[in-house]
Amino acid sequence: MGRRAPYWLALPGWIWLGIFLVVPIAAMASVSLTTGNLIDGFAQTLSVSNYSDAIAKYSTQLVRSLVYGGVATLLMLLLGYPVAYWIAFKGGSRKSMYLFLLLLPFFVSFVLRTISWGFLLADDGILFGTLKGWGLLPADFHVLATTVAVIGGLVYNFLPFMILPIYVALERVDPRVVEAAYDLYASRLDAFRRVVLPLSLPGVFAGVLMTFVPATADPVNAAVLGGTGNTMIGNIIQTEYLVNSNYPTASALSFTLMAVLLIGIFIYARTLGTDNVLEAAAR
Amino acid sequence: MTEAIPAIELDGVVKEYLSHGETVQAVKGVSLAIGEGEFFSLLGPSGCGKTTTMRMIAGFEEPTKGVIKLLGQDVTDVPPNKRDINMVFQSYALFPHMNVWENVAFGLRRRKVAESEIKRRVGEILEIVDLTGREKRRPREMSGGQQQRVALARALVNRPRALLLDEPLGALDLKLRQHMQIELKRIQREVGITFVYVTHDQSEALTMSDRIAVMNDGLVEQLAGPREIYERPASKFVAGFIGTSNLLSGTVDTINGSSAVVKLGTDDRILVASPAAAGETVDLTVRPEKITISTEQPEGELSVVRGTVNEVVYLGTYNSYAVGLADGAEIMVFQQNANDSSVTAERGDTVWLSWQPQHSYAL
Ligand SMILES: Nc1ncnc2c1ncn2[C@@H]1O[C@H](COP(=O)(O)OP(=O)(O)OP(=O)(O)O)[C@@H](O)[C@H]1O
Ligand SMILES: [Mg+2]
């Protein structure tokens, strides 16, 4: 024991990850290369064409997911950064209360929250129904079953995951360092651009990862708020698995999505992680 | 500082904070004028308002009352980025994402100084603070002393009218601190700008400053040169805060022209220059190194008290005696080890303490 203790203590965690992460992924990788159907059974044929077929068939949904996820992430960044900034620098003694309020929606299940958004956005629901009743909106105005509703839902559901890491990064910025910038003739904008923003980039990085990945893969918002024209890749995977029992296609799609996200993250990390960005800020 | 416009002027400056619904006066009315090129120190115990005063001069805090002038111009409402003074923070506050060079160039770039000029001036100042060759280091890759010098260079490179330094050496160990004290003094002489130096270390203030403002509880207790502050503390507080001081309390017995005789015990008499009415109780101070200790009653026009040695401590360059008086007070005496290191008296001995009349006065 002694100095070996950390290794022993980490072992259960590693075993857990090994069994519940690596094994299913390996199993799914294997399934993604099989052919067959539920009745006749699936046989391992190392059929790579599962991938090309699935991508060809569902490229629209794949691209749409990336676009929706990307737009939602961008919106979350634009909405979330000021909120994180406000809590970190203007929150005063009520910071923890604001953070609690931010997390309050998580006490309600994700699906239920999305469904309630559905009610809220319904054509004749409490919001639009009332506004239409007052003649403030045209009678044929609708949001539900549109792109706006899906992206809106994604933004609503994942926003706290953007705010929290940015808040943590901003909270760690030494206020004296910001004052030093003012002292050295920086305007408010300069102090933000060259000191606060670069120092909060690790938080932005984490926030983007924590929102873009789940938002892109999410099936719930598109299913509940999107209608037929807004199907995302998460919905397809779900349908192929649970409805069509087409396990090879579902697995192949899952892996394709994973690969695309990992490549995206890698490129993103290379751009943001290098000193280029910081050097630009120092000029 | 007679006719010239002071570099920095504070006039009746008050700063109140609202904390938990209560008004706290951090600075209770400070007026002072700091001359151009002066090394001026704000000295005082923790919480006396030094940082608050400094932050008002820098422009980070707005005074609740009073006026702040830089070179005769009222800057009370001017934001920090528009004031021609720079600050060296207690914690350095270097930009952690920038290297040394970028840190130092920051102010010049904000002022849109030409890139060639920036190169020249940054190189020059890094040479002065002895950091040439470390331009590419990030702050966290440097020692405390090096970071301190970056902070200094980052402020000095802008050639401000005045430099504010808030306990800039507080985080350094004793040896490095003493080295940096000499360095700071040298740099200040070289660049010739006004330094306002905050410290709670009295020896630091005494060795470095042209003038010192001793602060206590939001007020300036004494503003004078180091020698005067040490030799003639204006109040009990200053006497106690600067160096070791013996505080005595006695009754004025007789008055001889301009000097008074103060009685402590039966055989004791202290000659005080400052006039006071007979019968009045006065507080006196005398520095330990001004006192002569002897085993026989001394002759002449001296202040003399008798006591018993409570403690003798050998301290290398001098011996320190703690002598108990009849009224229970204890007097510290420092005796230089000039000739031999043997002590004049041992613990328990009865001794006479004497000093020249000009070394004690009523507060
Ligand atoms: N933002 C603030 N809100 C409330 N009270 C404050 C604030 N800043 C300072 N104070 C109070 O004002 C007083 C003076 O503080 P200041 O920081 O000026 O002291 P200081 O002399 O610099 O002390 P130190 O040597 O410990 O740095 C303290 O009692 C402090 O608690
Ligand atoms: Mg302070």
Side-chain angles (χ1 to χ4, degrees):
Chain A
M1 285 305 275
R3 63 179 59 195
R4 294 257 170 96
Y7 294 91
W8 289 111
L9 290 172
L11 200 60
W14 282 118
I15 291 173
W16 176 277
L17 281 174
I19 293 174
F20 294 104
L21 188 77
V22 178
V23 172
I25 284 181
M28 224 166 63
S30 162
V31 170
S32 75
L33 297 171
T34 58
T35 38
N37 58 53
L38 194 57
I39 297 152
D40 303 331
F42 296 96
Q44 181 56 266
T45 53
L46 296 180
S47 144
V48 183
S49 62
N50 284 349
Y51 281 82
S52 45
D53 291 350
I55 293 171
K57 192 168 170 197
Y58 295 119
S59 63
T60 324
Q61 286 84 353
L62 194 60
V63 170
R64 183 185 289 142
S65 297
L66 291 170
V67 171
Y68 282 17
V71 171
T73 303
L74 194 69
L75 286 173
M76 283 186 266
L77 185 58
L78 293 177
L79 288 172
Y81 197 103
V83 175
Y85 185 95
W86 185 85
I87 298 177
F89 292 120
K90 311 280 172 195
S93 55
R94 290 207 203 92
K95 273 181 196 170
S96 22
M97 193 190 75
Y98 297 133
L99 291 175
F100 176 73
L101 287 178
L102 209 61
L103 293 175
L104 202 58
F106 291 112
F107 287 83
V108 177
S109 114
F110 180 67
V111 179
L112 264 180
R113 266 184 288 142
T114 312
I115 290 172
S116 72
W117 249 63
F119 287 134
L120 201 69
L121 299 182
D123 293 352
D124 295 306
I126 27 173
L127 188 60
F128 297 142
T130 315
L131 289 176
K132 283 174 187 173
W134 291 346
L136 291 175
L137 282 176
D140 59 351
F141 181 86
H142 73 108
V143 169
L144 203 59
T146 64
T147 306
V148 173
V150 179
I151 293 179
L154 290 172
V155 169
Y156 161 70
N157 277 311
F158 295 111
L159 189 57
F161 295 110
M162 180 66 88
I163 296 176
L164 286 175
I166 297 178
Y167 164 78
V168 170
L170 286 171
E171 173 68 22
R172 288 199 341 220
V173 174
D174 180 358
R176 298 281 173 262
V177 169
V178 185
E179 284 183 349
Y182 291 131
D183 189 58
L184 295 162
Y185 322 115
S187 61
R188 288 186 154 273
L189 183 67
D190 266 338
F192 176 74
R193 252 193 6 204
R194 303 183 187 281
V195 177
V196 179
L197 185 62
L199 289 178
S200 68
L201 281 184
V204 171
F205 182 78
V208 166
L209 278 192
M210 286 174 72
T211 50
F212 179 66
V213 173
T216 304
D218 178 64
V220 177
N221 285 280
V224 176
L225 305 170
T228 45
N230 291 297
T231 321
M232 287 169 72
I233 198 72
N235 307 95
I236 304 289
I237 294 172
Q238 208 173 37
T239 311
E240 289 287 6
Y241 244 114
L242 301 177
V243 181
N244 303 345
S245 300
N246 187 350
Y247 302 142
T249 303
S251 304
L253 275 177
S254 297
F255 269 99
T256 307
L257 178 64
M258 213 159 94
V260 170
L261 288 175
L262 282 175
I263 292 168
I265 289 167
F266 183 73
I267 295 171
Y268 172 64
R270 285 297 292 265
T271 344
L272 252 192
T274 51
D275 284 347
N276 296 342
V277 180
L278 296 182
E279 263 162 34
R283 296 240 132 230
Chain B
M1 273 154 291
T2 40
E3 311 271 320
I5 301 168
I8 299 168
E9 205 177 344
L10 272 66
D11 190 9
V13 169
V14 173
K15 179 68 194 179
E16 290 173 353
Y17 288 112
L18 203 64
S19 108
H20 304 285
E22 261 180 76
T23 315
V24 184
Q25 275 204 333
V27 173
K28 299 182 176 171
V30 167
S31 300
L32 45 87
I34 302 169
E36 250 190 293
E38 196 175 7
F39 197 118
F40 189 94
S41 289
L42 288 172
L43 173 65
S46 186
C48 71
K50 305 182 296 289
T51 297
T52 307
T53 305
M54 188 80 118
R55 290 173 58 80
M56 287 190 286
I57 299 174
F60 297 125
E61 308 279 356
E62 213 176 309
T64 313
K65 267 187 236 143
V67 174
I68 295 173
K69 288 182 186 169
L70 299 180
L71 287 165
Q73 249 177 356
D74 187 341
V75 295
T76 316
D77 300 320
V78 176
N81 56 341
K82 303 263 167 60
R83 294 191 190 192
D84 199 6
I85 45 180
N86 288 122
M87 180 146 169
V88 176
F89 290 79
Q90 194 161 1
S91 52
Y92 313 143
L94 298 177
F95 304 121
H97 57 299
M98 297 182 195
N99 64 30
V100 169
W101 209 90
E102 293 160 343
N103 261 284
V104 176
F106 190 90
L108 295 176
R109 282 185 164 150
R110 298 292 79 70
R111 293 196 141 178
K112 311 261 186 297
V113 174
E115 205 56 30
S116 58
E117 165 95 355
I118 293 180
K119 258 205 184 88
R120 196 177 57 72
R121 277 166 71 172
V122 172
E124 220 172 78
I125 201 76
L126 286 179
E127 188 144 349
I128 290 184
V129 298
D130 199 17
L131 281 174
T132 311
R134 306 252 152 95
E135 290 86 353
K136 292 269 172 274
R137 296 263 189 104
R138 288 275 173 84
R140 68 169 163 280
E141 299 161 350
M142 315 205 11
S143 74
Q146 290 169 336
Q147 290 184 37
Q148 203 281 326
R149 282 179 283 161
V150 177
L152 197 63
R154 185 178 69 171
L156 279 174
V157 76
N158 305 296
R159 299 186 188 146
R161 287 303 187 143
L163 193 64
L164 311 176
L165 303 102
D166 190 357
E167 306 206 24
L169 309 181
L172 307 182
D173 64 51
L174 184 65
K175 221 176 164 101
L176 191 54
R177 193 154 79 222
Q178 286 168 342
H179 173 70
M180 284 307 298
Q181 284 172 4
I182 297 166
E183 282 294 287
L184 273 179
K185 198 63 196 169
R186 177 182 65 80
I187 290 167
Q188 196 250 347
R189 258 197 310 272
E190 248 166 68
V191 297
I193 53 181
T194 313
F195 271 39
V196 183
Y197 194 94
V198 162
T199 181
H200 62 242
D201 180 339
Q202 41 109 0
S203 71
E204 193 168 287
L206 288 176
T207 52
M208 298 173 80
S209 320
D210 296 322
R211 284 194 308 153
I212 301 170
V214 183
M215 288 186 70
N216 180 31
D217 197 20
L219 289 169
V220 174
E221 293 247 346
Q222 187 171 10
L223 201 170
R227 189 174 294 271
E228 189 177 341
I229 295 242
Y230 186 81
E231 301 285 341
R232 299 196 69 84
S235 68
K236 241 180 173 168
F237 172 82
V238 177
F241 190 72
I242 312 280
T244 311
S245 227
N246 293 301
L247 285 169
L248 299 167
S249 173
T251 321
V252 176
D253 193 53
T254 49
I255 305 234
N256 287 336
S258 65
S259 94
V261 179
V262 176
K263 281 269 184 207
L264 293 182
T266 41
D267 298 325
D268 307 331
R269 59 181 185 137
I270 298 169
L271 309 173
V272 182
S274 39
E280 217 172 282
T281 305
V282 287
D283 291 319
L284 306 157
T285 134
V286 57
R287 296 285 182 191
E289 71 276 11
K290 311 285 188 199
I291 302 174
T292 308
I293 187 165
S294 53
T295 43
E296 278 150 37
Q297 182 156 13
E299 303 281 318
E301 274 295 290
L302 298 170
S303 293
V304 179
V305 295
R306 197 174 64 160
T308 314
V309 177
N310 288 342
E311 203 76 65
V312 186
V313 181
Y314 174 66
L315 286 163
T317 56
Y318 63 89
N319 292 314
S320 150
Y321 298 84
V323 178
L325 302 187
D327 65 351
E330 198 173 63
I331 292 193
M332 294 294 295
V333 182
F334 297 158
Q335 186 189 45
Q336 197 83 35
N337 281 330
N339 303 314
D340 56 67
S341 58
S342 65
V343 295
T344 310
E346 297 288 353
R347 208 185 125 116
D349 289 355
T350 296
V351 289
W352 296 91
L353 306 178
S354 59
W355 61 90
Q356 297 289 331
Q358 72 266 26
H359 290 316
S360 59
Y361 40 90
L363 292 171

